[in-house]
Amino acid sequence: MASGEAAVESAVREVYDAHFGRLVGWTTQLIGDRDLAHDVATDAFVKLLTHWHSVQDPRAWLYTAAANQVRDHWRKRGREASAYEKFVAGSARAVDVADSGLDPATRLSVRDAVESLPERFRLVVLLHYFADLSVAQVAAQTGKSEGTIKRDLHDARKQLAQRLEVTR
Amino acid sequence: MNDSPLNDSPLNDGHNHGEPSDQRDAVAGFFAAARSQVRDQPATDLDWQRIVHESRRSSRRRNRLALLSSAAVAIIAIFAVFLWQQNGMGDGVRRGEAIVGGNPVTTGEPTSSPSSVSSAQRPTTVPDSFRTWSVSNAGQSTVYALGAQDCEGDDACPVLLRSGTNGRTWTAVHRFDGTDVSAATGTDVPQVQPERAVTQTRFATPQTGYVFGGDLWVTRDGGASFTKMSHPGSTVLDVEINSQHAVLLSSDNCGQGVCNGPVYVTRFDPAKGTITGPDAQVTPRAQVSAGTVTVQNDQVIVQLTAANAGASIAPMRLDDKKLTTLNAPPACSGAALQSVTPATNSKQLQLFALCNPQKAGNSQTSYTIVRSDDAGKSWSSVSRGALILARLGDVWLAAADSKHLVASAGGPRESTGVPAPNGDDSLMVSNNGGNGFGAATPPKGQQLPGTGFDWTASAGGGIVYAVPRTTHGFWMTSDYGTKWTVVDPRH
């Protein structure tokens, strides 16, 4: 193994130790399937190894990569899947679905909340509010200015507040 | 790597106070509660070994593919030499063309894969929600407009419109479902788009053209169907076509709105089904947030925008297989050339460029205009401070000929300094070769778009397009900028 490759693997291993478990848990909360969440996180780390030299902020990069895969998954599965997952919450997959992001007060899942927003707000909301990335980190990951991210979050917050109000 | 990978702890880091998620409101509370339910999962050595194994396997696969490609090229070359020896020059050349890809529909991607073909669609009326992103004049009174329409679930879908009447009437010819529009909407759109994005269009003829963003797709039936094309680099930055000479600008190692290169420049023939190459490549010394290419009189000019506002990358000219830096003249006071553009109607290549941006008032910037008649080897100063543009982001320059120029400001709006409060002075016209500029007069009942123009180009003759990207229509002039109309494809 080339020494450069070894150095990259060693650096990414540190990131893995710090973030992999949390990333799987975070993704599980969004898609309600631990095995699939594990695959998403694994894929994000495989890509991180490949792109290591161009990555400035590994944690923000990993959550962005995972969030994009989660959105793809939502798109593919559609809303029927969400309904089905709620339906089976009390049966064999209860372990996974119990952690599927349902707010006990509102019974609104993170997915429901995020998907109620226009497409352009979804990634920034996921990254800022749910992955807890700062506005600057979200701006860096999405290639937009901080002003735009703040504006998008402001608009998204107004819409979400209404949605939460209705749900309660 | 600038940052230590572990300079933050999971899920509660990187925050300054005053972040929206720090506010004590219902939304922040909702997500905080959801975050508190996240449970860490085990991170085992076995999982790590799987990640490393998969990464090495993909790396080997890429290397093997590169080796196989080299071997295939060598075999084709040997076979071509063999045919030439067997059949003589005349017959052999024809067969060589057939080997390299005579079928115009074949692409570098396996066309049998469902994801590489977007099947033919029936034309429909233009959706009311259409907003223009990109415009291309295909000749013979045919104009294409790529933009977005609302689709299911508040998503935006790219849709291609076609006009056979020079913009008077339009039909929607192809909608692209399943593309990544996460970075393509809003008022601050990065030019480096993610994989699967489609945000720009360029047409070579009324039948043959391209849409691109991160990906590159070709149509050969006037936009009815599209086929994904393989090309050098992973991400397409720009495509330009002039008189059937086409050039692709692409890059590797792109993500989240920036590219680290290498950046590839590839000439290709739109009549052929494959893009080989590249002709030249360069690894930029700074991260790149945008790249544009122009082709005119067989000269190709490449311009890369550094992601860091403090850095600059000089434009380059493609000389056979290498890229030559275009140095700015003393009139630019040490600043790099920017917005290099060729005059589209000139028989001899004439290049115009801007440089030396200077603050002019609270929200405007003035520029020096320079001109080159020897493909950028030397430059002469045309005017200093005659062009004053609203500070709204990127600056575009379009030249129809040696007299008629149009400049605009807008695009990705990460401008330094105070941005302009409105679109005044975002579209400027010169009819004396850049010695003086006047503000474009909006058509009756229209105002200049508040966020300026994202893209401006001369399409030959007196036609210039200026695309705000945030509005339904785009701006167009047929008389070098004296009179402008707003073309709204919905009407």
Side-chain angles (χ1 to χ4, degrees):
Chain A
M1 187 169 60
S3 61
E5 196 180 350
V8 169
E9 287 180 7
S10 167
V12 177
R13 174 65 199 244
E14 286 184 56
V15 182
Y16 171 84
D17 289 340
H19 297 297
F20 182 80
R22 194 67 173 177
L23 186 62
V24 175
W26 185 84
T27 310
T28 303
Q29 186 103 336
L30 291 171
I31 56 182
D33 182 328
R34 196 171 295 157
D35 291 339
L36 191 56
H38 193 278
D39 289 346
V40 167
T42 299
D43 190 51
F45 271 87
V46 170
K47 286 178 180 163
L48 181 65
L49 271 169
T50 310
H51 294 284
W52 178 251
H53 291 296
S54 62
V55 174
Q56 303 284 323
D57 181 344
R59 179 178 165 267
W61 194 94
L62 284 166
Y63 278 87
T64 307
N68 278 325
Q69 283 211 48
V70 165
R71 288 166 58 234
D72 266 358
H73 171 77
W74 285 349
R75 213 173 283 139
K76 280 181 200 151
R77 295 285 297 273
R79 294 182 184 281
E80 302 82 15
S82 176
Y84 176 73
E85 279 162 6
K86 284 178 187 170
F87 171 73
V88 299
S91 59
R93 297 175 62 196
V95 174
D96 285 352
V97 181
D99 284 341
S100 64
L102 288 178
D103 175 15
T106 63
R107 311 311 297 170
L108 185 69
S109 72
V110 173
R111 175 181 175 175
D112 290 337
V114 172
E115 287 216 300
S116 73
L117 294 167
E119 171 72 27
R120 66 182 183 280
F121 297 150
R122 292 177 190 169
L123 183 63
V124 294
V125 165
L126 264 182
L127 294 179
H128 179 69
Y129 279 110
F130 195 49
D132 212 24
L133 300 187
S134 68
V135 168
Q137 285 176 307
V138 177
Q141 295 303 311
T142 56
K144 298 185 175 186
S145 70
E146 290 186 33
T148 300
I149 299 297
K150 282 180 185 166
R151 225 170 19 247
D152 285 353
L153 288 171
H154 177 263
D155 293 345
R157 189 166 64 235
K158 275 194 342 200
Q159 294 189 28
L160 276 174
Q162 285 173 354
R163 178 75 203 268
L164 289 170
E165 191 61 35
V166 169
T167 310
R168 284 174 195 276
Chain B
M1 285 293 301
N2 293 334
D3 299 337
S4 160
L6 299 179
N7 60 0
D8 47 18
S9 61
L11 289 183
N12 58 359
D13 48 31
H15 263 215
N16 298 319
H17 291 295
E19 295 279 341
S21 59
D22 292 338
Q23 307 298 315
R24 293 180 185 280
D25 60 32
V27 175
F30 167 77
F31 282 102
R35 277 204 311 273
S36 71
Q37 293 171 31
V38 171
R39 299 285 173 265
D40 285 9
Q41 301 298 317
T44 64
D45 276 344
L46 192 60
D47 288 330
W48 171 248
Q49 292 307 327
R50 274 182 54 205
I51 288 167
V52 172
H53 176 72
E54 181 57 34
S55 168
R56 288 182 188 161
R57 206 174 58 159
S58 342
S59 171
R60 279 200 298 273
R61 205 161 43 222
R62 280 194 303 275
N63 292 339
R64 213 176 298 136
L65 274 174
L67 268 174
L68 279 172
S69 304
S70 307
V73 168
I75 289 166
I76 288 170
I78 291 165
F79 187 53
V81 169
F82 172 75
L83 283 175
W84 176 67
Q85 286 176 336
Q86 294 292 310
N87 301 311
M89 178 70 85
D91 190 37
V93 170
R94 282 199 300 277
R95 289 185 188 203
E97 284 174 351
I99 291 165
V100 180
N103 181 355
V105 182
T106 305
T107 70
E109 291 284 306
T111 49
S112 57
S113 161
S115 63
S116 66
V117 175
S118 188
S119 304
Q121 297 176 11
R122 188 174 294 171
T124 60
T125 55
V126 177
D128 281 343
S129 57
F130 181 80
R131 297 172 300 284
T132 306
W133 286 352
S134 176
V135 176
S136 180
N137 190 316
Q140 299 173 37
S141 301
T142 304
V143 183
Y144 286 87
L146 181 73
Q149 69 172 92
D150 292 344
C151 47
E152 296 78 16
D154 284 334
D155 282 354
C157 293
V159 58
L160 183 71
L161 310 186
R162 175 187 164 111
S163 168
T165 56
N166 233 345
R168 284 191 295 280
T169 55
W170 296 82
T171 52
V173 291
H174 202 97
R175 187 173 114 166
F176 297 87
D177 293 327
T179 65
D180 188 339
V181 293
S182 60
T185 55
T187 59
D188 191 4
V189 178
Q191 289 181 9
V192 176
Q193 288 284 316
E195 288 174 27
R196 297 193 295 106
V198 165
T199 56
Q200 298 278 326
T201 187
R202 305 281 188 274
F203 269 76
T205 69
Q207 286 75 41
T208 300
Y210 303 85
V211 294
F212 62 95
D215 279 341
L216 177 68
W217 296 75
V218 62
T219 178
R220 299 192 184 281
D221 53 14
S225 65
F226 279 83
T227 305
K228 193 174 174 182
M229 294 193 80
S230 62
H231 52 77
S234 58
T235 300
V236 175
L237 302 178
D238 197 12
V239 174
E240 201 53 79
I241 305 169
N242 182 270
S243 302
Q244 304 311 305
H245 294 285
V247 184
L248 170 82
L249 186 66
S250 55
S251 178
D252 273 329
N253 295 309
C254 300
Q256 279 100 45
V258 295
C259 293
N260 291 277
V263 173
Y264 305 99
V265 186
T266 311
R267 290 176 180 267
F268 65 98
D269 181 352
K272 291 190 175 164
T274 54
I275 298 176
T276 53
D279 289 289
Q281 70 180 67
V282 63
T283 301
R285 58 189 174 82
Q287 278 194 325
V288 167
S289 63
T292 59
V293 64
T294 64
V295 55
Q296 183 75 34
N297 301 67
D298 208 30
Q299 292 282 355
V300 175
I301 307 290
V302 173
Q303 294 167 87
L304 303 175
T305 305
N308 181 344
S312 65
I313 303 170
M316 292 164 278
R317 183 185 60 239
L318 179 63
D319 291 333
D320 192 20
K321 297 287 181 186
K322 71 180 176 70
L323 288 161
T324 305
T325 299
L326 303 187
N327 293 315
C332 291
S333 302
L337 295 167
Q338 63 182 95
S339 310
V340 180
T341 191
T344 50
N345 297 333
S346 299
K347 286 183 181 163
Q348 300 290 324
L349 181 67
Q350 291 176 334
L351 295 175
F352 288 88
L354 310 178
C355 62
N356 194 23
Q358 296 289 321
K359 193 176 174 189
N362 281 339
S363 54
Q364 293 180 314
T365 305
S366 74
Y367 296 89
T368 295
I369 306 279
V370 293
R371 170 180 160 167
S372 172
D373 294 332
D374 58 5
K377 294 183 186 78
S378 64
W379 296 84
S380 57
S381 174
V382 174
S383 64
R384 192 181 186 121
L387 173 62
I388 298 178
L389 278 165
R391 193 178 300 128
L392 283 169
D394 275 5
V395 175
W396 294 88
L397 186 64
D401 52 37
S402 61
K403 286 185 177 173
H404 297 99
L405 309 181
V406 173
S408 70
R413 294 170 180 85
E414 295 181 64
S415 57
T416 52
V418 181
N422 54 48
D424 291 351
D425 295 334
S426 61
L427 187 64
M428 306 297 288
V429 178
S430 172
N431 54 20
N432 58 8
N435 282 293
F437 283 83
T441 308
K444 196 174 178 184
Q446 298 280 346
Q447 287 184 325
L448 286 155
T451 49
F453 295 86
D454 283 54
W455 183 86
T456 297
S458 165
I463 299 174
V464 178
Y465 298 119
V467 180
R469 209 179 191 283
T470 50
T471 59
H472 292 293
F474 60 92
W475 289 47
M476 174 186 168
T477 175
S478 302
D479 56 7
Y480 305 100
T482 305
K483 184 183 173 194
W484 290 86
T485 54
V486 175
V487 180
D488 186 342
R490 300 172 307 157
H491 302 145

